[in-house]
Amino acid sequence: MKTSTKIVLGVAAIAATALIVSMVKKEKQARMLSRVSDEGYETAPDLLYPNKSKINSKLHYGPVLPS
């Protein structure tokens, strides 16, 4: 087998692996969001995923009480 053929097959294998990993991540996120939406709006992420850190600590759902 020629070197160029090996390189093309290697690149194709890497691209296929990346595509499969991407599809698995999207499916996992869709499952998580589906479970959260089934539980309710305000408390579902806290109940289902207590160990996940918040992306933005200033994110707040619900009314804001003045300090």
Side-chain angles (χ1 to χ4, degrees), residues 1-62:
M1 197 176 340
K2 293 183 180 180
T3 305
S4 61
T5 307
K6 289 180 184 179
I7 291 172
V8 169
L9 288 176
V11 169
I14 291 171
T17 304
L19 180 65
I20 290 170
V21 168
S22 172
M23 290 171 59
V24 168
K25 283 184 179 181
K26 284 183 181 181
E27 182 180 331
K28 183 178 177 182
Q29 183 179 16
R31 240 183 293 130
M32 179 197 62
L33 291 175
S34 175
R35 286 183 62 197
V36 168
S37 69
D38 289 344
E39 287 295 323
Y41 178 72
E42 292 182 4
T43 59
D46 297 336
L47 295 176
L48 293 175
Y49 307 101
N51 296 330
K52 294 280 184 177
S53 62
K54 290 185 180 180
I55 295 173
N56 186 357
S57 63
K58 293 184 179 183
L59 180 65
H60 180 76
Y61 295 106

